Amino acid sequence: MSSFSGGFPVGHSFQIVFFLVILLMYILTIIGNGLMVMIVRTSHKLYTPMYFFLSNLSFLEIWYTATVPKMLETFVEVETKICVYCCLVQAFFHFFMGSTEFFILAVMSFNHYLTICKLLLYATIMTIRVCLQLSIGAWFGGFMAILFQTILVFQLPTCDSNIINYFCCDIGLILKITFTDTCLIELLGFLAAITAIFSSLMFTMVSYIYIISTIIRIPSATGCQKVFSTCASQLTVVSLLYRAVMFMYLRPSVHSSFSLYKVVSVLNTAFTPLLNPFIYAIRNKKVKAAFWNAMGKPDVAFHYEIKRDSTP
């Protein structure tokens, strides 16, 4: 058995506040992303590549926050327990979903690039087959990024005192409770992180550089502002995610500022998934119209469509 002794080094009252805040974010994340998946799947008007990839992202975020219940338990219990193999499975899916998210965001940036920069060729390039291939490729890439490291970790013996000073299972911290050489596993993990993070980051950055250069050349000020506002919101989510992950996993040492490491981890696990429904759905009139239509209020959806059509 492994046990968690996580939590912030603060008083009990603050622990309760953190518990309530994270619980609220978790509930809103599940509801928001769940509604996003349901709306995209049930509305024929949203059968487009953009919303297909967005539903993939929302589905992923639901599973990515699966470690939050165990995190919440560490706020109210002095010590929580989990079997070693369950801990490894949790760590595998956590990093699998995290790696896949990078690739899905890269695919979405490519879709935005085609929409803005190659509009006339968009329908020819982004076919249903290509969308499926990109989606499967993103999930497969995330799976392979963590598979071999996890297989090797499963074969490691652990110490009798398996106490992890953290909120959930983390492969890096699991390696610290073993009594064998883990240099190869750490190297594989570092190479996988470099590949998943920087390859997707470079692809995303190049796509948005082309997008921004195209936006600048748009003659209409209103159109330019509208497109730039959408891209700015998406870039905010991307920058928050990459900054948090780089701080957590690509630092020279994980020993320094461990309390700050915990804070960043909580924000990355609980807060960032909450942003996606708000960034991609709340400000999107098509999604709001589809939502009201799914709720059985087509009149509200009709008003949204009229407002959208009357916008210059």
Side-chain angles (χ1 to χ4, degrees):
M1 295 288 290
S2 294
S3 62
F4 299 109
S5 60
F8 293 108
V10 294
H12 178 71
S13 58
F14 284 99
Q15 295 276 8
I16 298 300
V17 172
F18 288 145
F19 173 84
L20 295 175
V21 171
I22 294 174
L23 176 62
L24 178 61
M25 288 193 294
Y26 177 64
I27 293 173
L28 292 176
T29 298
I30 298 299
I31 294 175
N33 287 287
L35 284 174
M36 195 68 206
V37 174
M38 181 199 72
I39 292 170
V40 172
R41 296 302 180 189
T42 56
S43 176
H44 294 285
K45 293 184 178 180
L46 301 182
Y47 283 1
T48 63
M50 171 186 171
Y51 296 105
F52 172 73
F53 296 132
L54 184 55
S55 66
N56 272 261
L57 181 63
S58 294
F59 178 77
L60 180 146
E61 297 291 19
I62 294 173
W63 291 101
Y64 183 69
T65 56
T67 58
V68 173
K70 177 60 70 174
M71 181 194 302
L72 292 171
E73 188 179 351
T74 63
F75 281 106
V76 295
E77 296 288 342
V78 176
E79 184 177 291
T80 60
K81 296 184 180 297
I82 185 173
C83 69
V84 175
Y85 290 111
C86 294
C87 188
L88 291 173
V89 169
Q90 184 191 79
F92 169 77
F93 278 99
H94 181 71
F95 286 98
F96 166 38
M97 296 298 166
S99 301
T100 304
E101 183 171 9
F102 294 128
F103 295 123
I104 289 181
L105 289 174
V107 169
M108 292 178 66
S109 69
F110 176 66
N111 180 69
H112 295 150
Y113 161 75
L114 292 178
T115 304
I116 297 173
C117 304
K118 304 290 182 182
L119 183 58
L120 297 179
L121 300 175
Y122 182 81
T124 304
I125 298 174
M126 196 59 70
T127 61
I128 296 177
R129 180 179 179 181
V130 171
C131 289
L132 290 174
Q133 289 174 341
L134 290 173
S135 177
I136 293 173
W139 286 90
F140 182 75
F143 179 79
M144 295 302 296
I146 192 63
L147 176 63
F148 296 108
Q149 186 187 18
T150 305
I151 292 175
L152 293 176
V153 173
F154 260 96
Q155 301 173 4
L156 293 177
T158 57
C159 301
D160 294 332
S161 179
N162 301 328
I163 298 177
I164 300 175
N165 182 23
Y166 202 46
F167 305 104
C168 60
C169 293
D170 184 286
I171 289 181
L173 297 175
I174 293 173
L175 295 179
K176 296 183 183 302
I177 63 173
T178 64
F179 49 86
T180 57
D181 184 22
T182 60
C183 292
L184 176 60
I185 299 176
E186 292 177 5
L187 177 61
L188 286 176
F190 184 76
L191 292 176
I194 289 290
T195 303
I197 295 174
F198 280 105
S199 63
S200 60
L201 177 60
M202 292 303 297
F203 191 90
T204 302
M205 288 182 62
V206 170
S207 297
Y208 278 107
I209 288 172
Y210 278 105
I211 290 172
I212 293 173
S213 64
T214 302
I215 292 174
I216 294 175
R217 295 195 298 268
I218 295 178
S220 171
T222 304
C224 179
Q225 183 179 4
K226 181 178 179 181
V227 177
F228 186 79
S229 175
T230 302
C231 291
S233 301
Q234 296 162 358
L235 282 173
T236 300
V237 175
V238 171
S239 63
L240 285 174
L241 175 64
Y242 278 101
R243 286 179 183 178
V245 172
M246 286 181 181
F247 174 83
M248 292 167 58
Y249 300 112
L250 297 181
R251 295 185 302 156
S253 172
V254 297
H255 297 286
S256 60
S257 303
F258 191 63
S259 296
L260 182 59
Y261 178 90
K262 288 182 179 181
V263 174
V264 175
S265 177
V266 170
L267 292 176
N268 182 55
T269 305
F271 180 66
T272 305
L274 175 63
L275 290 179
N276 289 324
F278 290 93
I279 294 296
Y280 295 106
I282 298 299
R283 300 175 59 190
N284 191 305
K285 295 173 183 176
K286 283 187 177 180
V287 173
K288 287 190 283 189
F291 170 77
W292 289 116
N293 188 57
M295 293 295 103
K297 297 182 179 180
D299 292 338
V300 180
F302 176 77
H303 290 311
Y304 273 120
E305 293 294 333
I306 292 295
K307 184 179 178 180
R308 178 176 63 87
D309 294 337
S310 61
T311 302

